[in-house]
Each structure stands twice: as C-alpha cells, then as structure tokens.
Amino acid sequence: MNDLLLRAARGEKTERSPVWVMRQAGRILPEYRAIRKSISGFKELVETPELAAEVTIQPVDILGVDAAIIFSDILVIPEAMGLPYQMEEGRGPWFPKVIKTESDINALHVAEGSELQYVYDAILLTRKGLNGRVPVIGFAGAPFTIFCYMIEGRGSKTFSEARKWLHANPEASHNLLEKITQSTINYLKLQVEAGVSIYQVFDSWAGVLSAELYKEYCMPYLNRIAQEVSQVPSIVFAKGAHFAMSDLLSSNFNAVGLDWTLNPADLAHIGSKKTLQGNMDPTVLYADDQYVVQKTKEMLTSFSGIPHIANLGHGVYPDTDWKKVKLFIDTIKAN
Ligand code: CP3
C-alpha cells in the first residue's frame, strides 16, 4: 500500500510529498457529474454507500492522488443530532430548523455514530474497491464550524449570529460546543472502526473569530477530539486562522493545514516540528500549464526541510478544469 501520506503525517521523512486535494471527490470530475445527474440529489449520493464509495475512488483512478477522502459532508453531524439539512441546487446547504434558544440546545441529542451507518458502510465499500492501493481519509467539521451552521442555518460571510452567541450566551455556547464535540468524537471513532487510516477536521469558518475567541471556543474542543481519536494520525485545517497558528502547531493533531495566505516561513519562529499541509492558491489552477507547474514547484520549495503533505490552500473550486488539477498532482509526484 502507498503509505506516503501516513508516514508524512507522523512526521517521517518521505521520498516526496504525498498529495491529495481538498474537495477532490465531487465538484470537478465529469465522471462525478454523470453519477450526480442520474440521481435525485446530493443527499442520495451521500446516503447510498455504493455510490459514495464509487465517487470516493474516482480521484484515485483519474487524478492519481495518494489518498481517497470519503465522500460525505460535514453537515451529517447536525442532522444526526436532530437538525436535518437540505442541499439546494446551486445555493448550498440550509437548515429548516436552527438553534434559537437554550431549550433548543437541550433538545439536541449527542450523536452516537450509529445514526451514520451509511458512512461506515461507504468506508467499508471504499476500502474493498481500493484493495489497499491508498489510505482512506475520514473527516468531520470542527465544532465551531458546525456551531455556525446550527445557529445560522446556512452559509454567511460574517457568521455574526454565531459570533453573537459567543459574546451574549457564553455558557450556552459552551454547552452546544460540548454536545457537538462529543458527537464528533463518536462519529470519528466510527470512521476509524470502519477503517479510515487518517482523518482531517475542517474548521472552515475559523477566520471569522479572533485569537481570544479561538482560544476559548475552539482549541479546547479541537484538542479533545485529537486526544480521544488518536488511533490514527490526524490533520487540522482552520481556514483563515493565522492568529491561531501557534496554538494549532502545539495542538494534539499530527499535522496542520495552511491556507494559501500563509507561507511556512511565516511560522518558523514558532519552532514547531509538526507536519504541514498545503497550500497552493486554488485559483492558480485557472492559469496556463507553465504557470501552474511553476507555482506548484514554488510551493514545494517553500516547504523543503519540513514534513509536508501537498494540497491546495482550500478546496478546489467547482469550475476548475480537472486536467489542471492532474497537472498539479503530476508535478508533485515528479519532484
Ligand atoms: O473532499 C471531498 O471531496 C470529500 C467530500 C466533501 C464534501 N463536503 C462534498 C460536497 C467534504 C470534505 C466536504 C466538507 C464540507 N462541506 C465543508 C468543509 C470544507 C470546506 O470547503 O471548507 C463545508 C463548509 C461543507 C458544507 C457544504 N457542503 C457547502 C457550503 C456546500 C455547497 C457548496 C459546495 O459545493 O461546496 C456543500 C455541498 C457539497 N459537499 C458538494 C460536495 C461534492 C456539492 C454538492 C453537489 O454535488 O451538488
């Protein structure tokens, strides 16, 4: 088995940087779109293990990545806790029911994992289909990012409703974050039991917070997840959280993802030995081939001497030409 990713995540020196791409499953491949068109919607794909496994494996076969990330969504956790989500075509997710009061929080239940049997089954089928070629990456949303959706019910530029809660209802906010954290731990343990070899926690909306709020409302919960789910290596990716890098680099996670606004050299003063992941700007992939190759090589150089997992600095955008993504991957593999 290609275990480059696992060795790099554990901080071992590898012959080259392993590569995978955030949001590699779905979004860009014509083969994904064909399957997506043949069914009623996104949720059907997520909840049908045979199909979820198929689109999980597609990027391994077509793009040649060093790992498969299980096809699912971070929003299965709020749903398992009692707030179902809907995925609107072209508009993204929304929740018909959101958290408005403390009694709404009390009514939520802690997910045990068993509600998410379809993810377990999708992981088993993915492993069978991969036949040991590459590891399977599990994932979950970070407690704060899930908190944002549970309160706002949809995406937002500012997540001001969610931030209001932190200031106006600190105790209730901690209660909600506790429940999400325990649910996430149970869920990630289920993924490990099904056979994921590594997992990533996505804190996609970290960037709306301050250093102070991140220390109080994010780090303790993130650290608890990494501590309790330590059977396999772990990666934390907190987008926009430049103010929290020293905390993340001394966290319980094995590896820390960087978005494209950071340069590994900016972090040298922290003196961390952790593995870093990232971080090419996904919009580089709209340029010509020569430029893509040049920027990919520059990214590799910026991480030289550091245990590194090559990736983009955020998920690949949906209208990216998959051939550019393949060029990014091939360039890394040739180095
Ligand atoms: O990495 C992968 O390819 C695995 C699958 C995956 C999906 N969502 C499938 C998906 C992963 C890891 C996610 C994580 C996720 N979901 C995040 C964190 C990562 C990030 O980008 O910051 C967030 C914030 C969500 C919530 C979510 N799901 C949004 C905002 C949207 C709409 C916009 C979009 O396309 O991302 C989704 C829908 C979604 N999740 C799609 C896919 C393939 C597109 C739905 C479709 O095919 O119609």
Side-chain angles (χ1 to χ4, degrees), residues 99 105 108 147 150-151 172-180:
I99 298 295
I105 297 174
L108 288 174
F147 176 97
M150 285 182 144
I151 287 179
S173 296
H174 277 299
N175 287 342
L176 178 51
L177 287 162
E178 270 296 331
K179 279 192 156 174
I180 298 169

Side-chain angles (χ1 to χ4, degrees), residues 23-25 27 32 36 42 72-73 87 139 202 204 314:
R23 311 304 295 275
Q24 68 189 23
R27 282 197 157 177
Y32 166 78
R36 181 73 174 69
F42 174 75
S72 187
D73 202 89
M87 200 57 82
F139 73 91
F202 287 88
S204 304
H314 194 201

Side-chain angles (χ1 to χ4, degrees), residues 222-233:
L222 286 170
N223 272 322
R224 187 126 57 82
I225 291 169
Q227 190 185 350
E228 295 215 19
V229 192
S230 59
Q231 299 81 353
V232 298

